Amino acid sequence: MGVFGIDLGTTNSAIARIDADGRPEVLVGLNGEPTVPSVVLFASAHDHVVGEGARRQSRLDPEHVCALVKRRMGDADWRFMAHGQTWSAPAVSSLILKSLAADAEFAGADTVRRVVITVPAYFGDEERRATIQAGTYAGFDVAGVLSEPIAAALAYGFGRLDGSIAMDKGGARETVLVYDLGGGTFDATVIELADRRISVLAVEGDHQLGGADWDERIALHLSQQFCAANPDAEDPLDDSAGSQMLVLAAERAKHELTDAESTEVVIAHDGARAVITLTRTELEAMTSSLMRRTIDLTKACLAAAEQRGVHGVDRVLLVGGSSRMPMVARELRAELGLDGELRDPDLSVARGAALYGEKLEMERLVVADLVTRGRLRDGAEISEASPTDLEQSIARVAASFGQPVSLVRRMIDIRVDTVVSRGFGVLALDPYNGLAASWLVHRNQTLPIRVRRSYGTVRADQDQIELTIVEQQGQAASTRPEDSKVLVEGRMHIPPGYSAGSEVRVTFEMGFDGVLHVTAYHVDADIPLNLAVQTGATLSAADVARELDQLQRTRRRPA
Ligand code: AMP
């Protein structure tokens, strides 16, 4: 049973696995399309529709259709309300995940259990946790969350590996900029491919920027044109069904203008009608500030990479459906002198996720094999095995997979290094400034990271220490608490009987998946302390129980 790769996108999602030849394959569901719109229609309190059927219904039943939920990931307070029920972002996302799994199984795959889910590189700890929660709600074992640009680079690097140059030992070093403009998020990432290593050097992005913003601008323009032609009719933007209709028409026009210079949009609303001609030039003019923002973020990303010694990139991969717009490649060339290549913009992320899942699975099996045979200590890293033992184990795992030894070795050899997408630190009392953020880890530092800090109690018999962990919000790390977002507000209980100044050692660990783990240790008492978390993106246990119950009671209705 393999690990499936899932691209849980803002507008579209896809699921992939590794086929019998060791190549990533995107699974096509009931609707015959490789991608499924990330849209959920809550048809009643007991059933829901996911995908194209839900998207089509958004015009007729907008109150019950939830789209762009990915933008809400990590917002613990957000809920979608329908039929007297409330749904958190992970719960809505889990319905999309389950639907993908059902599609995969329809396509003849095994039961989907273990998965890798991709997230924008710019997602911080909270959004990554929310994504894992969505997977757990769907009943999956989440083997990892992977940044989308890494997935795209992996799909690209693996493709090259077949004939292979870049990622083999001694091969050329290649620096790649991944420009990923999807439906709702934008990420710019500089990645280096060398010696079977994929290293993320810099990340920039905005998860409130994507194709949907283009659609909104166009919809506004269409409504203005409609109202000018029909002064007595109601503005379609004034009611939700009218707005949805305009947004869908806007998106259709946008797609047409990728290939054509001009298109006609028919808007019928409130008994009136308008035929509006829209040209590509007009579209580009009304969305130029959005385009500008992606260029500015790309420049900031290149500047951050330059600080790490990267002078220039060899290749620009354009991913995400919106990077199909001709303005993207043109502006990148005009502003940065870079020629972008559109490579499998919709599916490369799902393919890369499947490759990464396969790598994790092979690693897991090799480690298990080594441990069972007493060649590796339980809990040790694969790198601690002797080369001979490793080679023998790889041969056994390859035989059980029915795959060439060279392929398994290559998968295991690939290393993925990534960076922290947002710095984090603790709020501490500063004698001069009052409460201020003290940064422990800065953005773009290489993962994994482990930071230790010691805190002393201020009085004898102190029974607790409070800890507030914050995450950087803006481009630069600021010490002002209001510029950061609280990740964790926790309290550690301290056993009685210790003097003032007794040491509590707190360890902040962030693994490759970008998820933060905090542990604390009382040095004098020689015991670990439990950090009782009060706030943060994690839903309360009561919320989770209620949502699980609700999820069990809703059925997927075929579109
Ligand atoms: P993704 O999140 O990568 O699936 O990208 C979806 C976004 O890409 C949506 O905003 C789509 O409107 C946009 N998109 C897809 N195809 C095209 C196209 N041919 N021209 C312009 N935008 C497109």
Side-chain angles (χ1 to χ4, degrees), residues 7 9-13 35 180-184 210-212 215 251 254-256 258-259 319-325 345-346:
D7 171 5
T10 314
T11 41
N12 293 299
S13 297
T35 64
D180 180 356
L181 185 59
D215 303 344
E251 188 181 21
K254 178 186 75 176
H255 290 189
E256 279 165 18
T258 287
D259 300 316
V319 294
S322 302
S323 63
R324 285 204 177 84
M325 291 186 292
D346 300 315

Side-chain angles (χ1 to χ4, degrees), residues 5 13-19 23-29 33-35 107 344 346-352 354:
S13 297
I15 183 164
R17 67 161 174 198
I18 300 301
D19 71 11
R23 287 170 190 282
E25 165 197 32
V26 174
L27 297 158
V28 175
E33 298 285 332
T35 64
D344 201 11
D346 300 315
L347 303 177
S348 64
V349 169
R351 290 206 168 99

Side-chain angles (χ1 to χ4, degrees), residues 18-23 158 162 358 362 391 394-412:
I18 300 301
D19 71 11
D21 299 326
R23 287 170 190 282
F158 186 85
D162 281 347
E358 182 84 341
M362 287 177 175
E391 208 44 44
I394 286 175
R396 283 190 292 269
V397 169
S400 73
F401 262 84
Q403 305 249 343
V405 173
S406 59
L407 181 99
V408 177
R409 191 187 303 119
R410 206 168 64 194
M411 283 294 224
I412 288 188

Side-chain angles (χ1 to χ4, degrees), residues 239-254:
D239 81 272
S240 52
S243 305
Q244 295 273 5
M245 175 267 295
L246 274 187
V247 169
L248 290 179
E251 188 181 21
R252 218 171 316 122
K254 178 186 75 176

Side-chain angles (χ1 to χ4, degrees), residues 57-386:
Q57 198 68 14
S58 60
R59 184 175 165 188
L60 299 172
D61 193 8
E63 268 93 62
H64 295 126
V65 173
C66 180
L68 303 179
V69 65
K70 190 171 176 177
R71 286 186 166 176
R72 308 294 183 173
M73 291 298 247
D75 178 348
D77 300 325
W78 181 85
R79 293 290 182 279
F80 187 79
M81 278 185 275
H83 306 291
Q85 294 173 330
T86 58
W87 301 85
S88 66
V92 177
S93 304
S94 78
L95 296 175
I96 302 169
L97 292 173
K98 273 197 194 169
S99 161
L100 287 169
D103 279 350
E105 288 158 20
F106 169 82
D110 294 335
T111 310
V112 179
R113 275 283 308 147
R114 271 168 71 75
V115 297
V116 165
I117 308 176
T118 59
V119 293
Y122 196 62
F123 261 19
D125 172 75
E126 288 195 310
E127 295 95 329
R128 285 167 196 258
R129 268 177 209 276
T131 305
I132 295 171
Q133 177 72 51
T136 311
Y137 270 161
F140 300 157
D141 168 9
V142 182
V145 288
L146 179 70
S147 289
E148 286 154 15
I150 301 182
L154 207 51
Y156 162 74
F158 186 85
R160 298 201 48 178
L161 230 105
D162 281 347
S164 185
I165 0 174
M167 288 173 60
D168 275 333
K169 268 216 156 54
R173 183 176 289 262
E174 193 173 22
T175 309
V176 179
L177 166 72
V178 182
Y179 174 102
D180 180 356
L181 185 59
T185 54
F186 172 69
D187 267 331
T189 314
V190 174
I191 293 176
E192 189 177 70
L193 302 177
D195 291 343
R196 304 182 194 199
R197 259 190 133 87
I198 295 191
S199 312
V200 175
L201 301 177
V203 175
E204 272 295 345
D206 182 342
H207 69 286
Q208 300 290 350
L209 178 65
D213 299 293
W214 265 256
D215 303 344
E216 254 176 46
R217 294 266 172 107
I218 302 165
L220 188 63
H221 171 80
L222 294 176
S223 111
Q224 286 162 352
Q225 297 290 309
F226 174 86
C227 292
N230 300 285
D232 298 329
E234 181 198 62
D235 183 345
L237 284 182
D238 284 348
D239 81 272
S240 52
S243 305
Q244 295 273 5
M245 175 267 295
L246 274 187
V247 169
L248 290 179
E251 188 181 21
R252 218 171 316 122
K254 178 186 75 176
H255 290 189
E256 279 165 18
L257 291 176
T258 287
D259 300 316
E261 293 289 342
S262 166
T263 186
E264 285 196 340
V265 187
V266 181
I267 302 290
H269 183 72
D270 194 23
R273 209 174 109 92
V275 181
I276 302 157
T277 302
L278 187 67
T279 66
R280 189 191 290 164
T281 313
E282 284 171 324
L283 178 150
E284 291 181 351
M286 68 185 78
T287 56
S288 64
S289 61
L290 300 173
M291 186 61 223
R292 176 83 247 152
R293 174 133 176 81
T294 74
I295 295 288
D296 289 345
L297 287 166
T298 306
K299 282 185 178 165
C301 183
L302 291 170
E306 195 161 351
Q307 286 190 344
R308 303 192 62 182
V310 172
H311 305 289
V313 296
D314 303 310
R315 199 172 283 272
V316 181
L317 299 183
L318 302 181
V319 294
S322 302
S323 63
R324 285 204 177 84
M325 291 186 292
M327 66 198 298
V328 168
R330 194 190 57 228
E331 291 301 308
L332 280 171
R333 195 174 312 117
E335 291 275 340
L336 300 163
L338 300 171
D339 279 316
E341 298 164 43
L342 204 57
R343 275 177 188 263
D344 201 11
D346 300 315
L347 303 177
S348 64
V349 169
R351 290 206 168 99
L355 283 167
Y356 187 66
E358 182 84 341
K359 172 188 161 55
L360 292 181
E361 188 66 359
M362 287 177 175
E363 242 171 44
R364 190 174 72 93
L365 292 175
V366 166
V367 167
D369 178 77
L370 289 167
V371 170
T372 314
R373 289 167 192 269
R375 315 305 297 177
L376 191 68
R377 180 173 49 81
D378 200 2
E381 298 282 321
I382 194 168
S383 53
E384 293 173 41
S386 85

